[in-house]
Amino acid sequence: MIKEKIKYAITGCGYFAKDIIRILKHNNIDIVAVTSPNNGEDFANDMGIKYFKTKEEMFDNVDFDALIVSSPNYVHYDDVIFAARNKKHIFCEKPIALSYSHTKDMIDECKKNNVSFMAGHILYFMNGVRKAKEFIRDGRIGELIFCHAERTGFEEKKDKVSWKKMQKYSGGHLFHHIHEIDLIQSILGDAKSVYTIGGNICHNGEGYGDEDDTLFLSLKFDNNRFATMQYGSSFHFAKHFVTINGTGGAIELNFTDAKGTLKTKDGIEYFSLGDNEEEDKERREIYNNINGGIMYGNPNTLPPKWLTAILSRELLYFDNYLKTGNIDDEYKKLFNGTAAISSVKTAECALKSLRENKVVEI
């Protein structure tokens, strides 16, 4: 789209960012610089790329075509706006921003400056999720009725509290783990109203953050469709799954067991979530050693193979799009801003419902 070889820079040098750099290097894609205020210099030197403490320094001193935004959630807005105004194409990790207004401003700024934008909603590239959507398109479960998602676990007291546990920096579970909201809306369409109950029930005081640890959502969609969701870190029976129910059957995506299940009047059919059994086995082993869906990466450890595989597919798709301009229908929402805006707007309205104790129209 812009030239045969794309040069990338990246903001952030944490768990995801380091893997992104490794993936680009492994695929012979030019990653020329990284900016991170407090860490990353040693890693940048090891990877043979330039390190800067600020994005302003990086933009002033390095020539590149596209920026990958993998900084902490609360920094995404500034990074994307700055990059768009400097005419850089942008790939931004989820959650795109922590408010609907910021997300819309980011998308509008990219359009205004004629730069490409892709939302990093990684589940679009998971084989099991794509298989489930194929079953739905083929009418295997009939007309859609409702979805249910759970992403729960239990977190103990920490010696050091991460920004990821602070509501104003991460957005809390609904934003930091926005995947399930995005997945359900990619299936049922945009939610029209939400009612949320819960709060921060048992993670108060020293050694804890201030995010809500118990969240129950009820969502209403057009055409008499519904969804319910459970999020949080106060659940000792940890679970991570999404069920999709129709008039003729149902689908379960069980992320804990790394197994997909299709149930119809003809029987039960199983399918893999990952690319192969090795990846699925690794996922099961990891989930057996953590509290369900409550998982945060450590910058000093390597991500699992299944995560790297999906992230690789996502990044290579963005790179190919910049080179060719080609995009498949199933990914258009990631590039036109609708997936980013709708997921953030629903998460924001869900929190408003919780705070105001009422049904909120979205």
Side-chain angles (χ1 to χ4, degrees):
M1 190 175 186
I2 53 178
K3 57 174 130 178
E4 186 175 337
K5 190 82 169 173
I6 312 296
K7 289 183 179 179
Y8 291 90
I10 184 168
T11 60
C13 199
Y15 179 69
F16 248 61
K18 286 181 177 178
D19 205 37
I20 288 170
I21 293 170
R22 294 187 196 99
I23 289 167
L24 296 180
K25 283 281 190 178
H26 177 75
N27 286 280
N28 196 32
I29 295 173
D30 287 342
I31 171 77
V32 296
V34 58
T35 176
S36 180
N38 301 313
N39 62 72
E41 186 169 9
D42 290 342
F43 183 77
N45 290 336
D46 291 341
M47 299 302 292
I49 63 178
K50 294 180 179 179
Y51 166 79
F52 298 92
K53 278 190 173 292
T54 70
K55 60 178 173 288
E56 289 82 4
E57 290 179 288
M58 185 173 73
F59 275 70
D60 286 342
N61 290 280
V62 180
D63 176 43
F64 63 96
D65 306 296
L67 180 71
I68 296 173
V69 176
S70 192
S71 47
N73 302 350
Y74 62 97
V75 186
H76 289 184
Y77 175 78
D78 288 341
D79 286 352
V80 170
I81 294 294
F82 189 83
R85 289 175 179 170
N86 281 275
K87 312 298 182 185
K88 306 298 183 185
H89 301 287
I90 300 160
F91 173 93
C92 183
E93 278 296 344
K94 64 79 198 165
I96 305 309
L98 299 182
S99 71
Y100 164 75
S101 61
H102 273 188
T103 308
K104 188 175 185 305
D105 285 349
M106 293 155 72
I107 302 301
D108 289 346
E109 195 67 35
C110 289
K111 291 177 180 176
K112 175 183 174 182
N113 287 281
N114 197 32
V115 297
S116 299
F117 174 89
M118 180 181 176
H121 288 185
I122 201 168
L123 288 188
Y124 276 74
F125 295 88
M126 179 182 284
N127 280 343
V129 171
R130 298 182 72 228
K131 188 70 174 177
K133 290 180 178 180
E134 179 184 323
F135 289 146
I136 294 168
R137 288 194 300 270
D138 291 345
R140 298 287 299 277
I141 64 170
E143 296 296 319
L144 296 173
I145 305 172
F146 72 93
C147 293
H148 176 69
E150 295 190 25
R151 186 170 188 149
T152 59
F154 193 88
E155 289 183 291
E156 303 290 350
K157 189 174 183 178
K158 307 290 184 184
D159 293 332
K160 183 179 179 181
V161 178
S162 167
W163 64 266
K164 296 173 184 177
K165 309 307 299 171
M166 305 303 293
Q167 195 85 27
K168 75 173 184 176
Y169 295 130
S170 71
H173 288 293
L174 290 184
F175 281 87
H176 197 67
H177 296 124
I178 206 166
H179 299 291
E180 286 70 32
I181 288 176
D182 178 59
L183 173 58
I184 286 175
Q185 292 194 135
S186 74
I187 293 168
L188 295 179
D190 290 350
K192 300 305 176 184
S193 66
V194 59
Y195 180 62
T196 309
I197 58 173
N200 189 7
I201 310 302
C202 60
H203 289 80
N204 296 283
E206 186 178 350
Y208 300 111
D210 64 358
E211 68 176 348
D212 301 305
D213 63 9
T214 309
L215 294 162
F216 302 94
L217 283 67
S218 295
L219 296 149
K220 186 176 181 180
F221 298 78
D222 281 339
N223 302 317
N224 209 29
R225 297 172 175 178
F226 303 90
T228 52
M229 307 183 76
Q230 293 180 208
Y231 276 91
S233 52
S234 64
F235 299 77
H236 286 282
F237 284 105
K239 298 181 183 296
H240 189 193
F241 68 88
V242 175
T243 56
I244 307 156
N245 296 270
T247 56
I251 298 167
E252 180 180 79
L253 298 168
N254 191 320
F255 298 101
T256 306
D257 294 337
K259 181 173 69 176
T261 305
L262 169 67
K263 182 178 182 180
T264 68
K265 65 177 188 296
D266 298 320
I268 292 178
E269 180 180 331
Y270 298 104
F271 57 97
S272 175
L273 290 191
D275 292 357
N276 51 58
E277 174 54 28
E278 180 185 4
E279 288 182 13
D280 287 345
K281 180 181 178 182
E282 182 186 37
R283 179 189 282 271
R284 288 191 292 269
E285 290 173 349
I286 290 172
Y287 271 88
N288 284 333
N289 290 306
I290 64 167
N291 285 314
I294 308 304
M295 179 166 47
Y296 298 93
N298 183 333
N300 298 317
T301 62
L302 289 172
K305 292 184 180 66
W306 58 264
L307 185 55
T308 296
I310 307 169
L311 185 55
S312 297
R313 194 174 296 128
E314 184 180 44
L315 292 168
L316 291 174
Y317 197 92
F318 180 61
D319 186 65
N320 184 68
Y321 171 77
L322 291 183
K323 292 173 180 174
T324 67
N326 295 332
I327 181 170
D328 299 292
D329 287 343
E330 63 182 307
Y331 300 125
K332 285 182 178 178
K333 287 184 177 181
L334 299 179
F335 287 87
N336 63 20
T338 56
I341 288 173
S342 63
S343 59
V344 169
K345 188 175 184 181
T346 297
E348 184 177 53
C349 288
L351 286 180
K352 181 179 180 182
S353 172
L354 176 65
R355 307 294 181 234
E356 299 181 2
N357 190 28
K358 68 178 184 181
V359 174
V360 172
E361 301 295 322
I362 300 174

